[in-house]
Amino acid sequence: MTSELLGQALVEEATKKSGLIWVRGDGAPAARAVWHVWHDGAVCLLGDGPGEQPLPGLADGGRAEVTVRGKDKGGRLVTWTAAVTELTAGSAEWDATVAELKGKRLNAPDGEAMTGRWARECRVLRLTPTGDTAPLPDGDLAASPLPSPATTRRPIPAALPRLLLRRRGRK
């Protein structure tokens, strides 16, 4: 029982403090970084409209995998499973959620009129934790870079340090 409570506390606190999370919905090939708001015990997302973040693979009634990073070093803290619910525009829950999202939305092109645009053109999703958390991986998950004609930087020319020191001496 206490381990479940600790898991819930970790999910809530880590997600609240992180400004960016990675979400992978059912059928999505990869996780996508999204901005969010933690409101009333769940992650709330806005997207799939013109000028807003895409939310591929997230459907009402589906599931999602949410990965939260640490604010200090940016490393993975916890990965948890969520139930996805799409909120109906104009409902009391939608209004409360949009009020929270509105405070976090940066650089909106239409200012105060954005909530009307969201109601017409966007989806507001609620990702509620199911209580399942995934164990942290043992190894790193870094993928090898794809082949590219780009090269790494070459060593600096031997004369460069002398040229830089000479410029400092003139001032």
Side-chain angles (χ1 to χ4, degrees), residues 1 7 15 19 28 30-31 34-36 43 46 52 57-58 62 66 80 82-83 99 104 117 130 146 159 162-163 165:
M1 180 67 170
T15 309
V34 294
W35 68 273
H36 72 286
V43 164
L46 167 79
E52 302 298 342
L58 296 176
V66 179
W80 50 276
K104 288 280 195 163
R117 178 175 55 85
T130 62
L146 297 173
R162 285 183 297 200
L163 292 171
L165 287 174

Side-chain angles (χ1 to χ4, degrees), residues 26 57-64 82-85:
D26 290 337
L58 296 176
D60 191 27
R63 291 201 170 266
V84 180
T85 307

Side-chain angles (χ1 to χ4, degrees), residues 1-64:
M1 180 67 170
T2 56
S3 65
E4 289 176 21
L5 291 175
L6 288 174
Q8 289 173 356
L10 173 64
V11 165
E12 183 172 345
E13 285 303 310
T15 309
K16 274 183 188 178
K17 292 183 181 193
S18 181
L20 191 67
I21 58 175
W22 279 262
V23 177
R24 185 174 61 84
D26 290 337
R32 182 172 208 84
V34 294
W35 68 273
H36 72 286
V37 170
W38 182 269
H39 174 66
D40 201 22
V43 164
C44 299
L45 303 174
L46 167 79
D48 284 346
E52 302 298 342
Q53 62 191 353
L55 303 173
L58 296 176
D60 191 27
R63 291 201 170 266

Side-chain angles (χ1 to χ4, degrees), residues 29-161:
R32 182 172 208 84
V34 294
W35 68 273
H36 72 286
V37 170
W38 182 269
H39 174 66
D40 201 22
V43 164
C44 299
L45 303 174
L46 167 79
D48 284 346
E52 302 298 342
Q53 62 191 353
L55 303 173
L58 296 176
D60 191 27
R63 291 201 170 266
E65 182 182 82
V66 179
T67 302
V68 182
R69 68 188 178 120
K71 199 157 176 108
D72 57 348
K73 305 237 186 222
R76 177 193 318 226
L77 283 180
V78 64
T79 299
W80 50 276
T81 306
V84 180
T85 307
E86 186 168 349
L87 303 180
T88 305
S91 67
E93 190 176 21
W94 187 89
D95 290 337
T97 302
V98 164
E100 293 291 322
L101 287 165
K102 184 178 175 183
K104 288 280 195 163
R105 176 63 167 96
L106 302 176
N107 303 324
D110 45 3
E112 292 299 315
M114 70 182 153
T115 56
R117 178 175 55 85
W118 290 351
R120 288 186 313 273
E121 303 171 355
C122 298
R123 295 190 313 147
V124 175
L125 301 177
R126 183 176 168 79
L127 278 56
T128 308
T130 62
D132 299 333
T133 57
L136 291 174
D138 289 333
D140 71 9
L141 299 177
S144 299
L146 297 173
S148 167
T151 60
T152 57
R153 214 169 76 169
R154 293 190 176 92
I156 62 170
L160 186 61

